[in-house]
Amino acid sequence: MQNADSAYEALSARLERAMAAQTALTLFEWDNETLAPRQAGELTARVQGALSTAYQEAMTGEGMKELLDACRKEKLDEIPAAIVREAADEYERLACIPPEEYRAFQELVAKSTRVWAQVKQEQDFEQFAPTLEKIIDFQKRFAGYRAKPGQKLYDVMLDEYEKGFDMEALDGFFGLLRDELVPFFKEVTRSGCQPENGFLRGDYPEEKQQELVEYMAEYVGFDFERGVLAVSAHPFTTNLHNRDVRLTTHYSDRVDSSLFSVIHEAGHGIYEQGIDDELTQTLLGQGASMGMHESQSRFFENILGRSAAFWVPVYPKLQELFPQQLSGVSREEFVRAVNRVEPGLIRTEADELSYSLHVLVRYELEKQLIEENLEVSRLPQLWADKYEEYLGVRPANAAEGVLQDIHWAQGSFGYFPSYALGSAFGAQMLHGMRSELDIDALLEAGDLSPIREYLRSHIHRWGKRKTSRELLREMTGEDFNPSYYVEYLKEKYGSLCRTRS
Ligand code: ZN
């Protein structure tokens, strides 16, 4: 007779090895972006390659399938049972692809991101097209291996980033954004109520910006006893476990750029620091999904950080750090400036109102690429047409158009919708939270802890134990409802315009 604990114990030992390899990989990724010397690349890549193999062996190697089957037959508590499910998912994901195809794809992607960086500089999409075609072929083939009978390929890809949001759900969501936000955005940009924001750019010394962003990260609740902040070309957050969460930022002559990017990354970081101890270092010890993660970062950055109430207690700190630059700028003027809406070409620089319209363009094109065999060569034209239609601007070249994001070069199809979903999750959470907390009063009093605690108990602590859809339903008492997002944006940007006149 089999010992009741044995299969799960054996699985745990394998998962422990996988976790260690994964954690080391994460640390190398962080290091490559922040502190590693320029020449480290090639040799460190060897270490990373070996660690990836170790991870894959631990997750899919000999005996894993039998072990998972045996675990499924055991009577397990809720958390171990969820860990087994997660391990089985990861096994299926990795094991259904023939190893030689997977390796060929990894090699292609390693090359393609370099090609992408080069052609972006040269603004030459045509040179990138053959590589992109190969990437799409691989991704469609892999999705085919993973697809359940009758499942569409793009739905397989979407499921990897956001469970419960397939094309049917997203067509509804993006359709609403197209119908409601495109005309509203045009109305706001044509109304002439664009506030002055020139004072945000100028001589903002880096040491002072650093002092500001460290203060702000801590102010919103990022714990520097369990996290650090460093500098990288593109800001990001990563975590080894809930006691080691790492943010990065970058400094420029725009003070609002580092300021809001740090509040954004701190939102990701607070999520990771808030995951329960019993989940960290297990397969459940990370955010529920990409979209849920983005909901937290964008909640801190935009819903809280760009609100008028938020700046009541902290604007004096900003003026104290930059007396010359901001002494003549009132708090109201500052808040209006950081909410300035304008038609732009670059997603990562977009204002809160137009942000999701950038994502809408990508969603529509991905769907056509995967489901309708859109020819890659037609992408630049269609991209430009859609930008003109939705945002009223047309890229002059591929670098500010179809080549601006790295995602497709990395083979990430189905990732983009999470950015827009996260924004919509956040607005629905705000609506739910308002029935229990007076958010503006708390922000004005400089007491963010009840807000953070609310998010921690409803979202953060659960890690991956529940899907984003389940978390949202349990927190707000209703299924995903994007109309809160549209209402939130119309209310906020409508009133910002009204207060101006
Ligand atoms: Zn983010």
Side-chain angles (χ1 to χ4, degrees):
M1 218 181 92
Q2 210 181 4
N3 177 344
D5 289 338
S6 64
Y8 185 69
E9 267 173 25
L11 178 71
S12 298
R14 286 182 90 128
L15 294 183
E16 187 82 358
R17 289 205 302 279
M19 178 274 290
Q22 189 59 53
T23 307
L25 277 167
T26 306
L27 188 53
F28 275 114
E29 278 163 22
W30 153 271
D31 191 57
N32 281 340
E33 299 293 324
T34 52
L35 290 170
R38 206 181 305 229
Q39 289 214 1
E42 219 169 293
L43 295 187
T44 303
R46 257 179 72 190
V47 182
Q48 289 173 289
L51 284 166
S52 297
T53 308
Y55 174 78
Q56 208 149 1
E57 269 169 17
M59 290 306 294
T60 62
E62 221 186 304
M64 186 61 162
K65 193 173 175 3
E66 294 72 19
L67 196 52
L68 287 165
D69 287 341
C71 285
R72 284 200 199 92
K73 288 184 193 127
E74 288 181 348
K75 226 179 126 44
L76 296 169
D77 288 342
E78 200 192 324
I79 291 177
I83 289 172
V84 172
R85 270 200 304 279
E86 228 18 74
D89 267 8
E90 182 71 348
Y91 174 83
E92 295 294 335
R93 211 177 62 80
L94 295 170
C96 69
I97 296 169
E100 61 286 358
E101 280 186 39
Y102 190 70
R103 202 162 14 206
F105 173 68
Q106 292 294 0
E107 277 167 25
L108 173 65
V109 168
K111 255 185 272 162
S112 70
T113 47
R114 280 201 301 273
V115 175
W116 166 80
Q118 180 70 30
V119 297
K120 187 178 174 185
Q121 224 165 39
E122 294 163 9
Q123 306 173 357
D124 183 359
F125 179 78
E126 254 172 61
Q127 211 187 308
F128 185 58
T131 309
L132 185 57
E133 270 163 25
K134 278 186 214 148
I135 293 173
I136 293 170
D137 282 347
F138 265 114
Q139 286 301 55
K140 285 168 91 167
R141 205 164 345 129
F142 292 172
Y145 294 142
R146 287 170 185 157
K148 297 184 195 81
Q151 194 181 15
K152 293 240 167 67
L153 296 184
Y154 191 44
D155 280 340
V156 176
M157 299 177 191
L158 289 167
D159 194 66
E160 269 196 48
Y161 299 99
E162 209 63 55
K163 288 204 190 322
F165 289 91
D166 56 10
M167 277 185 280
E168 201 189 328
L170 290 177
D171 283 348
F173 171 55
F174 283 109
L176 180 74
L177 303 190
R178 196 177 45 230
D179 295 347
E180 296 286 336
L181 295 185
V182 171
F184 179 67
F185 171 67
K186 287 184 180 157
E187 202 181 298
V188 171
T189 50
R190 280 180 196 144
S191 66
C193 63
Q194 275 160 310
E196 162 62 28
N197 69 348
F199 54 82
L200 295 174
R201 189 189 292 274
D203 180 22
Y204 285 93
E206 197 173 311
E207 322 82 71
K208 290 280 179 186
Q209 285 193 54
Q210 192 184 339
E211 198 182 328
L212 171 68
V213 300
E214 281 169 2
Y215 173 84
M216 289 308 301
E218 195 160 358
Y219 179 77
V220 298
F222 183 74
D223 181 355
F224 277 102
E225 293 287 312
R226 306 202 287 171
V228 293
L229 172 69
V231 174
S232 68
H234 303 281
F236 69 98
T237 300
T238 192
N239 65 299
L240 307 186
H241 41 69
N242 70 0
R243 311 280 158 100
D244 189 341
V245 180
R246 298 171 179 228
L247 319 179
T248 72
T249 192
H250 67 136
Y251 299 106
S252 69
D253 63 348
R254 281 284 301 255
V255 70
D256 57 329
S257 168
S258 62
L259 175 58
F260 287 99
S261 99
V262 163
I263 300 177
H264 179 99
E265 300 308 331
H268 283 303
I270 289 165
Y271 192 169
E272 294 294 343
Q273 288 179 337
I275 288 174
D276 274 347
D277 285 344
E278 60 179 336
L279 302 182
T280 196
Q281 295 190 308
T282 76
L283 290 174
L284 305 175
Q286 48 182 308
S289 70
M290 253 299 298
M292 192 50 79
H293 239 298
E294 214 53 33
S295 80
Q296 298 307 288
S297 55
R298 295 182 67 77
F299 192 90
F300 278 91
E301 177 198 350
N302 294 319
I303 294 179
L304 301 181
R306 290 183 205 267
S307 72
F310 180 89
W311 289 99
V312 172
V314 281
Y315 190 60
K317 174 77 185 176
L318 201 60
Q319 282 184 313
E320 178 197 310
L321 282 165
F322 304 106
Q324 269 132 36
Q325 298 87 334
L326 294 174
S327 61
V329 179
S330 72
R331 192 181 74 232
E332 291 77 8
E333 285 169 320
F334 174 78
V335 170
R336 278 202 295 272
V338 299
N339 284 293
R340 183 182 157 112
V341 171
E342 59 199 323
L345 290 162
I346 308 296
R347 175 184 61 84
T348 54
E349 292 166 11
D351 55 78
E352 188 186 7
L353 175 55
S354 61
Y355 184 80
S356 289
L357 303 181
H358 292 258
V359 182
L360 166 66
V361 171
R362 289 151 178 79
Y363 171 68
E364 291 186 344
L365 292 175
E366 281 192 351
K367 223 174 91 173
Q368 284 180 268
L369 282 170
I370 307 301
E371 291 299 327
E372 295 163 29
N373 297 317
L374 170 68
E375 275 175 49
V376 163
S377 61
R378 292 190 56 216
L379 270 177
Q381 174 77 31
L382 286 175
W383 180 286
D385 290 348
K386 284 185 188 292
Y387 261 77
E388 190 157 6
E389 186 184 349
Y390 300 149
L391 288 127
V393 283
R394 210 175 166 85
N397 59 61
E400 58 181 34
V402 66
L403 285 176
Q404 67 181 266
D405 303 296
I406 196 173
H407 301 58
W408 290 345
Q410 289 173 322
S412 302
F413 287 83
Y415 186 131
F416 282 119
S418 307
Y419 290 121
L421 281 173
S423 306
F425 292 169
Q428 183 171 341
M429 286 175 198
L430 176 70
H431 179 84
M433 214 188 264
R434 278 204 167 125
S435 63
E436 293 187 39
L437 299 174
D438 187 342
I439 313 274
D440 282 352
L442 289 166
L443 291 176
E444 279 172 23
D447 182 12
L448 274 68
S449 56
I451 300 172
R452 211 169 43 245
E453 188 48 38
Y454 194 88
L455 291 170
R456 200 192 70 79
S457 64
H458 287 90
I459 309 285
H460 306 169
R461 59 167 297 221
W462 296 96
K464 263 188 124 167
R465 278 178 72 181
K466 300 175 180 186
T467 66
S468 53
R469 233 175 160 128
E470 286 167 342
L471 288 167
L472 204 59
R473 205 179 302 126
E474 284 170 27
M475 177 174 177
T476 67
E478 98 181 272
D479 196 10
F480 174 58
N481 180 351
S483 58
Y484 292 116
Y485 179 45
V486 172
E487 272 166 37
Y488 160 80
L489 290 172
K490 285 193 169 178
E491 159 63 27
K492 175 171 175 177
Y493 289 92
S495 74
L496 273 169
C497 265
R498 284 193 297 276
T499 51
R500 181 85 203 287
S501 51

